[in-house]
């Protein structure tokens, strides 16, 4: 008897998380609100990826210092306009698009709400091809070889972004919020173990968590993905931002893997905010996003 594949949470938990994320995004954006008019223009665009037409928006600042494509997390995510506006108001051009099968984008959405498993390698690879096509679209739109283009995203994007960077040499940097540096199956074992308990780290040790990550039996079978295999072959710089109270990604283990890659000469950096959880980008603290913006704008110095 086959078990019906699901993603990280039940449908109820997924809906609750989306409501929470929306609330936190609105709270976060309010901190950046300004009475001054925006210093950017927005243009609706369409581009083709793997035979499907995806729809999005390009935000172009008056004075561009860098550019990014926003890569989605695991849910039914449309283009993230408010997030893009924050970046554009800080001199960063942005392409944000509706995920395939969501909003105005064609294609088939794979996710827990429709009873499919969107963490299989084949789907993550497809989403990375979409991100790569978006990079080409933004590159052609800007028509400027001197603007460094990177990828930015959170959570599941932590697997997709390195895959897209491996495919597309136009990608000059990666910015990842709360992205795991362990395999997908290991991440699921950890998330099943924490069970959504926000007080998990008050009653459990790192040693206990790692025991489950490496030894628990898998509940679902799918083709796994190991981000370290890809990251070890990349030459572009990357920034990871973590929250110390994350109960979806084992942060200290991920940092340990990052340190190993750094010792091998990779230009990877990370920042840890001990009191934050998984939603580092859209938390009550503005510091993670401000730090990410500062880091992205520094990539201009490294252009060829």
């Amino acid at each position: 008897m086959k078990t019906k594949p699901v993603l990280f949470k039940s449908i109820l938990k997924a809906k609750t998380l989306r409501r929470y994320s929306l609330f936190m995004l609105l709270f976060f954006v309010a901190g950046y609100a300004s009475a001054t008019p925006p210093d950017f223009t927005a243009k609706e665009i369409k581009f083709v990826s793997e035979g499907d037409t995806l729809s999005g928006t390009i935000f172009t600042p008056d004075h561009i210092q860098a550019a990014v494509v926003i890569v989605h997390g695991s849910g039914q995510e449309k283009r993230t306009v408010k997030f893009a506006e924050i970046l554009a108001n800080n001199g960063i051009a942005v392409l944000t698009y509706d995920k395939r099968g969501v909003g105005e984008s064609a294609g088939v959405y794979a996710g827990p709400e429709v009873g499919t498993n969107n963490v299989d390698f084949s789907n993550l690879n497809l989403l990375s091809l979409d991100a790569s096509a978006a990079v080409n679209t933004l590159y052609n739109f800007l028509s400027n070889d001197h603007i460094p283009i990177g990828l930015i995203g959170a959570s599941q994007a932590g697997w997709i972004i390195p895959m897209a960077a491996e495919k597309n040499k136009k990608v000059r940097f990666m910015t990842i919020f709360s992205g795991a540096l362990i395999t997908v199956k290991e991440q699921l074992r950890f998330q099943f173990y924490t069970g959504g308990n926000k007080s998990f780290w008050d009653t459990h040790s790192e040693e206990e968590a790692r025991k489950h990550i490496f030894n628990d039996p898998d509940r679902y079978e799918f083709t796994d993905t190991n981000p370290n295999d890809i990251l070890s072959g990349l030459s572009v710089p990357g920034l990871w931002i973590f929250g110390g109270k994350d109960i979806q990604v084992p942060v200290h283990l991920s940092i340990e893997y990052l340190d190993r890659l750094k010792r091998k000469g990779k230009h990877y950096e990370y920042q840890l905010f001990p009191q934050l959880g998984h939603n580092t980008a859209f938390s009550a603290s503005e510091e993670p996003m401000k730090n990410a913006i500062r880091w992205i704008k520094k990539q201009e110095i490294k252009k060829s």
Side-chain angles (χ1 to χ4, degrees):
M1 178 178 178
K2 294 184 178 180
T3 303
K4 186 177 181 180
V6 297
L7 184 58
F8 300 89
K9 301 180 184 296
S10 65
I11 295 174
L12 178 60
K13 288 186 178 179
K15 290 180 178 179
T16 302
L17 180 60
R18 287 196 298 275
R19 288 196 296 267
Y20 172 77
S21 297
L22 177 60
F23 170 78
M24 292 309 299
L25 176 59
L26 294 173
F27 182 87
F28 169 76
V29 170
Y32 282 82
S34 172
T36 60
D39 295 324
F40 62 82
T41 57
K43 180 178 176 60
E44 304 296 303
I45 55 96
K46 293 183 182 297
F47 62 97
V48 176
S49 176
E50 300 302 297
D52 293 311
T53 300
L54 308 183
S55 299
T57 307
I58 292 178
F59 295 80
T60 310
D62 296 341
H63 304 286
I64 304 174
Q65 294 177 262
V68 296
V69 167
I70 298 176
V71 180
H72 308 99
S74 61
Q76 296 189 43
E77 298 189 12
K78 297 182 180 179
R79 67 198 83 178
T80 51
V81 173
K82 295 301 182 181
F83 185 18
E85 288 177 348
I86 291 167
L87 296 170
N89 270 322
N90 281 275
I92 301 170
V94 183
L95 193 167
T96 178
Y97 57 97
D98 297 340
K99 192 182 222 176
R100 61 170 46 245
V102 179
E104 297 177 18
S105 288
V108 177
Y109 165 75
E113 300 87 347
V114 292
T116 60
N117 197 329
N118 74 355
V119 290
D120 186 85
F121 173 81
S122 61
N123 188 59
L124 295 181
N125 186 60
L126 177 59
L127 296 176
S128 74
L129 288 166
D130 292 346
S132 178
V135 168
N136 291 336
T137 302
L138 183 57
Y139 177 85
N140 293 331
F141 181 87
L142 296 176
S143 300
N144 188 334
D145 292 336
H146 299 297
I147 298 173
I149 298 177
L151 299 166
I152 188 170
S155 196
Q156 190 184 84
W159 292 309
I160 298 169
I161 285 175
M163 296 170 71
E166 182 183 45
K167 292 176 174 64
N168 195 322
K169 300 307 178 185
K170 296 183 183 71
V171 176
R172 299 291 302 278
F173 60 89
M174 306 176 291
T175 308
I176 299 172
F177 293 90
S178 304
L181 273 87
I182 57 174
T183 72
V184 178
K185 288 186 177 181
E186 288 170 342
Q187 192 275 338
L188 280 176
R189 293 175 203 153
F190 174 71
Q191 193 162 344
F192 284 131
Y193 183 45
T194 64
N197 178 12
K198 294 181 180 179
S199 301
F200 175 83
W201 289 114
D202 295 334
T203 56
H204 295 79
S205 68
E206 182 73 18
E207 181 181 359
E208 290 173 325
R210 293 191 183 201
K211 180 179 178 181
H212 281 261
I213 289 169
F214 295 126
N215 297 296
D216 263 20
D218 294 316
R219 301 192 188 185
Y220 310 109
E221 286 303 319
F222 53 87
T223 304
D224 208 357
T225 300
N226 187 344
N228 291 288
D229 292 341
I230 302 168
L231 291 169
S232 62
L234 292 177
S235 58
V236 298
L239 172 67
W240 281 256
I241 296 178
F242 296 108
K245 296 186 180 298
D246 199 326
I247 55 173
Q248 296 187 47
V249 170
V251 166
H252 292 289
L253 182 57
S254 293
I255 288 175
E256 189 174 296
Y257 285 131
L258 268 177
D259 282 333
R260 291 181 188 178
L261 291 166
K262 289 175 64 177
R263 287 195 293 270
K264 294 179 180 179
K266 299 301 176 182
H267 300 290
Y268 299 153
E269 304 174 38
Y270 60 82
Q271 297 175 2
L272 174 63
F273 292 84
Q275 299 306 313
L276 297 184
H278 190 64
N279 293 311
T280 47
F282 307 130
S283 69
S285 172
E286 297 178 1
E287 285 307 304
M289 182 58 68
K290 286 182 176 180
N291 290 356
I293 289 171
R294 281 194 290 265
W295 185 86
I296 290 170
K297 292 164 79 169
K298 285 181 181 178
Q299 303 314 304
E300 183 185 26
I301 301 171
K302 301 176 184 179
K303 65 191 178 185
S304 58

